[in-house]
Amino acid sequence: MFTDQVKKQLEDIVGEKNVAASNASKLAYSYDATPQFQSLPDAVVSPKTTQEIVEIMKICNKHKIPIVPRGSGTNLSAGTTPIDGGIVLLFKHMNNILEIDENNLTITTQPGVNTLQLITEVEKLGLFYPPDPSSMKISQIGGNINENSGGLRGLKYGVTRDYVMGLEVVLPNGDIIRTGGKLAKDVAGYDLTRLFVGSEGTLGIVTEITLKLLPLPETKKTMLALYEDLHAAAQTVSKILSNRIIPTTLEFLDQPTLKVVEDFSNIGLPTDVKAVLLIEQDGDSQSVDRDIHKMAEICRENQAVQVDVAKSPEEAEALTTARRSALSALARLKPTTILEDATVPRSEIANMVEAISQIAEKYEVDICTFGHAGDGNLHPTCLTDVRDSEEIHRVEKAFEEIFEKAVELGGTITGEHGVGAMKADYLHLKLGEAGIDAMKNIKKAFDPNNIMNPGKIFAKNSPKRVVVSQS
Amino acid sequence: MNTKEKERIQHDFKEKMDYDELLNCMRCGFCLPSCPTYIESDYDEVHSPRGRIALMKGVVDGVIEPDEDVKQSLDMCLGCRACEPVCPAGVNYGHLLEQARDIIYQNKELPKHVKVIRNVAFKGLFPYQNRMIGVTSLLGFYQRSGVQQLTRKSGIMKLFPDSLRTMEKVLPEVPKRKEMKNRPRYYKPIQQKKKKVAFFSGCLMDTMFLSTNNATAKLLQYAGCEIVVPQNQGCCGALHGHSGEKDQAKELAKRNIKAFEKAEVDYIITNAGGCGAFLVDYKHLLKDEEEWKERAEHLSMKIKDISKILVELDFHKKPLKLDQQIITYQDSCHLKNGQKTFMEPRQLLEAIQGASYVEMKDASRCCGSAGIYNLVEPEMSMQILDYKMEKTKETKAKTVVTANPGCLLQMKLGIEREGLSEEVEAVHIVDLLLKAYEEANL
Ligand SMILES: Cc1cc2nc3c(=O)[nH]c(=O)nc-3n(C[C@H](O)[C@H](O)[C@H](O)COP(=O)(O)OP(=O)(O)OC[C@H]3O[C@@H](n4cnc5c(N)ncnc54)[C@H](O)[C@@H]3O)c2cc1C
Ligand code: SF4
Ligand code: SF4
């Protein structure tokens, strides 16, 4: 339990001004970007060093106080809502890049470094860190690691997991472990690095990270293909891939999404077509030209009504930046925006897009769809109003059917946003009871007192079928 | 805050806050990197736009009480609205802030001296132009009579906080009472007439900064405008609106609407970013008053900043010339975020021969002036100003151009604090442009 005595002990460790417990502070850290979830912590604690975190862990472990590590709170799975109270742990003082190693092509950083800042710093040296979640202007690298975030470049370059080489982690008992390192090869025992990536703060606290870097591609081109038919756009995605071209980016946006994105960004996106594909290729200029040319051809063969290549890097940047605003821009249309993250094998994209529009129609709900079509990761986004409980009920039903369809097509319930509290009730769809049990045993081994971000990933009760857990 | 106050505030939050707008925030955090108070508070969510919206919603939902910490979070906001243009969800943060502050200030018992100051400023002074003239004249008397020298020597100013003391030094030399009293009401175009405009002369601008107002009229004449300055106009009410005195702001708005309605003009020209944005916002301020709604919209539509009309009338294509120097520009938050005018001032400055324009980093980040913010939150204000001065110095500029009286004084204050008054000068864009025009053409 969080008592005054515990608070005092925490203050002794991190200093008084780094333990905030006013009502305003508690409220400001009671939510993240996930709608409908909110819960107050007992305090907000901002350590400065790994050693301070060790001390904090020991105290919380002893008193069984939940610890909710929080990056920038942009996750979409209620991964940082303190549902059982306890402390929210911030990394705002641990925001330094420690080393960029140009010989080994690695970067070592503290968890609180902002993702965009990291990308900018390495690019200054002609190096490249590909994972670029749309939230990168705000998100922290520690948050990315724990959600295993993907981004617009995921199709060609993979996701955060593919770049994490080594971690320093503080375990709930206060032990510090180091996994992996700058080594390209390492098979000493279980791959703990991978275990921590995507663990959503439920196993330990990541305090240092070593990431792999690539050489910065020589050049990059961006184009937009416009469609009058949703299905044709989705079809094009598989056609491009089956033609053995792997573009850097292959994003899908439907008409309502286009409209709001244009409304915000004002860059002249077409709003009168049914769908667009945003396609990007990077590499040496010759192969980029060749691929772009070939892909434009494929788009046209598959009923694209227009294909435009961005004329300048600025124009290209404007397009991708606009795409990154899609989710937030959709919030213009209705009070509540519920975004999902269903993912299917790439070849099933067209079927999934089709299924989503049918399901939306069946339940009479507004669902806009955009997403990383190239890697099968779609974001059907429902525009609704939390105050209309009857409609919310239909929304839940619709999403449930969408998840079932995704799994049926060989997909999963989340491609990049994680399970958190939001999707805990659906995990069994993907893993089955045995899979969940195996994971629970791992969790117990690391965190016997269940202090690390409790209530996330695993459903509290036996699986139930309704999503909503109101604040 | 006592229980009664909290109850009243909570009640009014439930009744009056725009809940749809609160729900529009989807908590994505895109606004965080643009918020000066978030950055300067060491990334404290309580002092971020996302956090403030959550606090407002928390009060409406009854999750928290509106206590001192909530009030402090809202007080700490500069109202610079840098969070608005970057919000993909299009949340009208400025309106939410205005509503929340109004509710808190109308229901809270303020300490006596604060109440006196607020009453004098908001109710006794700003609404009355003749009193503004009176007070400014006093200041003029103070400056001219030697009292200023005396007080400075006597050390009496030591009793005031640091920033206020420096502020006293940077106040412009004010015009004589007679000049302020006899402001002309009509100006003929100097060259061929292109537009007929009305000039919003403002309260502070028409007293302490009268010379800038005169320069504005001249520029407009040179650009080909016929100008009327309607008699019964007055303070725009921005200060009131932003400080939780909404009713008073509405009264002032109505007076201005009436004053300008009679003038049949193409545009109403402003030269103060803060006033301009608030005039544009009259349509929101009066949206619930049937009789005024349309009239307010009509006025809002006509508001145009001086730099915008100058570019529209190709003033930047006329010869403009200054001594060789580097010029940089400090955006007025409300001109940029409220009126979306930020290209035009730069276009004009870049057109000046002899001078070279250098953009400062984060030019659109607030300078920390923000109405009376620098007086009520001096610490945060000075922290924000320090950052600004750092970026100003990096440009090596001799001239820092601003487009709002508050920013102008704040930048002067920054220059004085840095001990740079020999090398750097802060000016209003209008004064600089007039000088550049006269240098090249007269
Ligand atoms: C508009 C928008 C667009 C988005 N686009 C994408 C996208 O394209 N791709 C994508 O994958 N996601 C996306 N997301 C989701 C989200 O931004 C990512 O999951 C991001 O990685 C979260 O980073 P964060 O710093 O905000 O972490 P948080 O949300 O604060 O935390 C995420 C998880 O990590 C844990 N955690 C954080 N730091 C640590 C640490 N040091 N040690 C242990 N655990 C820790 C938390 O407990 C939590 O479980 C988007 C979100 C928004 C709002
Ligand atoms: S950017 Fe807009 S929607 Fe996003 S958190 Fe800020 S105010 Fe809310
Ligand atoms: S108005 Fe300015 S200070 Fe206030 S929340 Fe927005 S960006 Fe921050």
Side-chain angles (χ1 to χ4, degrees), chain A residues 155-172:
Chain A
L155 173 55
K156 181 162 168 182
Y157 292 103
V159 294
T160 303
R161 175 204 293 132
D162 302 306
Y163 296 85
V164 186
M165 299 182 73
L167 296 173
E168 178 189 81
V169 184
V170 180
L171 300 180

Side-chain angles (χ1 to χ4, degrees), chain A residues 7 16-22 25-26 42-46, chain B residues 44:
Chain A
K7 181 162 177 261
E16 221 169 290
K17 76 177 200 320
N18 287 316
V19 180
S22 69
S25 294
K26 290 194 233 174
D42 293 308
V44 183
V45 181
S46 312
Chain B
D44 187 346

Side-chain angles (χ1 to χ4, degrees), chain A residues 333-351:
Chain A
L333 298 179
K334 281 277 197 85
T336 313
T337 315
I338 305 181
L339 163 112
E340 275 310 340
D341 184 24
T343 304
V344 292
R346 297 156 179 176
S347 56
E348 300 290 350
I349 278 285
N351 290 331

